Amino acid sequence: MNFSQNVTWITITSIIVVILLILIVPKNRIREAWINFLFFQTLTWGTGVILAQYHLLKSPFRIFPKATTQDFFNDFTIFPAVSVIYYFLYPFQQKWYIQLFFILGSSVIIGIYDFSVEKFTDLKRYIHWSVIHQFILSILFNLGSLWFTVWFFKKSKNDTQVRS
Amino acid sequence: MNVNTIIEALVWIISFLLLFLFVPKHKIRDAWISFLFMQLPSWILGLAAVQFRLISYPSRFFAHAVQTSFTFEFLAFPVISVLFNIYYPTQMRLVWRLLYALAFPSVIVTIEILILRYTDLIEYIHWNGYLSWISLLLTLFLSYGFYKWFLHREM
């Protein structure tokens, strides 16, 4: 795998995600997007450090190679952005099995993306890791971020009112 | 356990204590905004500082995963930013606000220099205390600006 292929992957993925964000996030709900994005970053940063520390994953091609062994690009920009998209598309009003289908379906898509990253680029190598782990983690993180964002903007009498 | 590990562990304990003691229950969302936001500049600048050999952290947690100070960037500095934003004296006169703002980086740099001198947790390569002071001040204001923007549509 050479340099230009990795860079092409990064460029194309970024463009697609930015376009999706612009299309999906309503302008007047940008605060919800921020909270979701930042919270997801905290989750991936914390767990990513542990995963890299115990050699579960590695990232041969990465930004800041002397400072971190984590996959900066996917963990800190793409997956948090995808979590924002997830939050805005989530079928809150629908029946439980439609919600379940959404949760499983989106994590399958994320899993396929992650697997392709592993296969076609040097951004990520699974060591003691598999696409199943990734699938479970992405369900937990996306739902975690979703719940956090919902809690954050829940109207409450005593708490600071944060207008969305 | 050596002294470095003990001090780094103490930073974790003190940071959580500060949160529990100084964040009132009704300000918990304010605290979250500041905490989550501050991680972003703290982490990116921290990475850059190590990448460009400005600072190194010879003894650190998660030494294999990161060459930066996870403890400071992930926890300690965001916690400081939380306190800075929650207690910022908006109603006071300019001179008090200025003193308040300048006191924060001054205290942090003082502690940093003590840690630099007596432990292996941090080592300046192409760096000095003044640069620390300025970058702390700027990032604290950046986080405060975000916090203000978040709470009020118009600043």
Side-chain angles (χ1 to χ4, degrees):
Chain A
M1 208 67 59
N2 59 44
F3 181 81
S4 67
Q5 264 173 294
N6 293 316
V7 173
T8 311
W9 182 278
I10 289 179
T11 315
I12 292 174
T13 316
S14 310
I15 292 171
I16 293 172
V17 167
V18 168
I19 291 173
L20 284 176
L21 280 177
I22 293 170
L23 290 178
I24 290 169
V25 179
K27 265 232 159 59
N28 58 350
R29 296 175 70 187
I30 201 113
R31 282 167 179 76
E32 288 164 69
W34 264 109
I35 287 294
N36 196 288
F37 186 86
L38 292 172
F39 188 76
F40 196 92
Q41 276 193 331
T42 303
L43 291 179
T44 47
W45 185 8
T47 48
V49 162
I50 295 167
L51 297 182
Q53 176 73 15
Y54 298 106
H55 304 276
L56 300 173
L57 278 175
K58 68 174 182 179
S59 177
F61 182 86
R62 57 188 190 266
I63 308 165
F64 303 119
K66 283 187 194 139
T68 180
T69 50
Q70 283 185 266
D71 179 6
F72 183 95
F73 172 68
N74 282 308
D75 285 3
F76 297 97
T77 61
I78 296 305
F79 288 141
V82 168
S83 163
V84 172
I85 295 167
Y86 183 99
Y87 170 78
F88 281 105
L89 294 182
Y90 192 86
F92 286 102
Q93 312 298 334
Q94 305 288 335
K95 293 217 169 56
W96 69 269
Y97 52 84
I98 298 181
Q99 299 197 11
L100 187 69
F101 180 76
F102 179 86
I103 293 167
L104 297 177
S106 48
S107 286
V108 167
I109 296 170
I110 295 166
I112 292 170
Y113 170 79
D114 200 69
F115 188 71
S116 333
V117 169
E118 215 272 345
K119 207 101 202 126
F120 302 120
T121 75
D122 301 321
L123 292 167
K124 185 176 275 183
R125 285 284 170 279
Y126 296 162
I127 305 170
H128 300 291
W129 194 255
S130 74
V131 75
I132 303 295
H133 292 94
Q134 181 64 37
F135 175 76
I136 294 166
L137 210 60
S138 103
I139 290 179
L140 293 177
F141 282 7
N142 283 299
L143 276 183
S145 253
L146 181 104
W147 284 329
F148 181 81
T149 316
V150 169
W151 167 79
F152 194 95
F153 289 96
K154 199 176 56 186
K155 292 277 174 281
S156 158
K157 246 187 243 161
N158 304 317
D159 289 347
T160 316
Q161 290 292 304
V162 180
R163 289 165 295 168
S164 56
Chain B
M1 268 210 304
N2 61 34
V3 65
N4 299 315
T5 315
I6 293 170
I7 290 187
E8 195 162 353
L10 270 178
V11 173
W12 278 81
I13 296 167
I14 293 169
S15 301
F16 279 108
L17 274 179
L18 286 174
L19 284 180
F20 284 117
L21 292 177
F22 291 108
V23 179
K25 244 205 150 97
H26 69 277
K27 288 265 188 190
I28 202 139
R29 284 176 172 79
D30 300 52
W32 270 112
I33 300 164
S34 316
F35 184 84
L36 293 174
F37 180 77
M38 188 47 127
Q39 284 190 334
L40 194 62
S42 158
W43 190 70
I44 291 175
L45 295 174
L47 283 174
V50 169
Q51 175 70 26
F52 301 114
R53 294 184 49 76
L54 305 177
I55 302 177
S56 80
Y57 302 94
S59 166
R60 56 185 186 272
F61 287 179
F62 301 114
H64 174 74
V66 284
Q67 277 67 51
T68 59
S69 176
F70 182 73
T71 301
F72 181 73
E73 286 147 21
F74 186 85
L75 182 73
F77 194 39
V79 167
I80 292 165
S81 171
V82 167
L83 302 179
F84 184 91
N85 292 348
I86 288 185
Y87 289 100
Y88 194 85
T90 29
Q91 311 297 327
M92 303 256 254
R93 286 178 31 218
L94 180 69
V95 59
W96 290 114
R97 279 181 280 160
L98 208 62
L99 270 178
Y100 176 89
L102 299 184
F104 268 77
S106 307
V107 171
I108 304 167
V109 169
T110 309
I111 296 170
E112 184 172 280
I113 291 192
L114 289 173
I115 289 176
L116 175 76
R117 185 154 304 167
Y118 297 108
T119 75
D120 303 321
L121 291 172
I122 184 167
E123 195 180 291
Y124 291 167
I125 305 170
H126 300 289
W127 196 255
N128 58 51
Y130 301 107
L131 289 171
S132 274
W133 192 86
I134 291 170
S135 54
L136 291 168
L137 186 68
L138 291 179
T139 40
L140 281 171
F141 268 122
L142 181 69
S143 166
Y144 182 68
F146 180 83
Y147 170 70
K148 277 308 209 195
W149 167 82
F150 199 98
L151 291 183
H152 309 283
R153 221 162 270 271
E154 300 86 23
M155 221 177 127

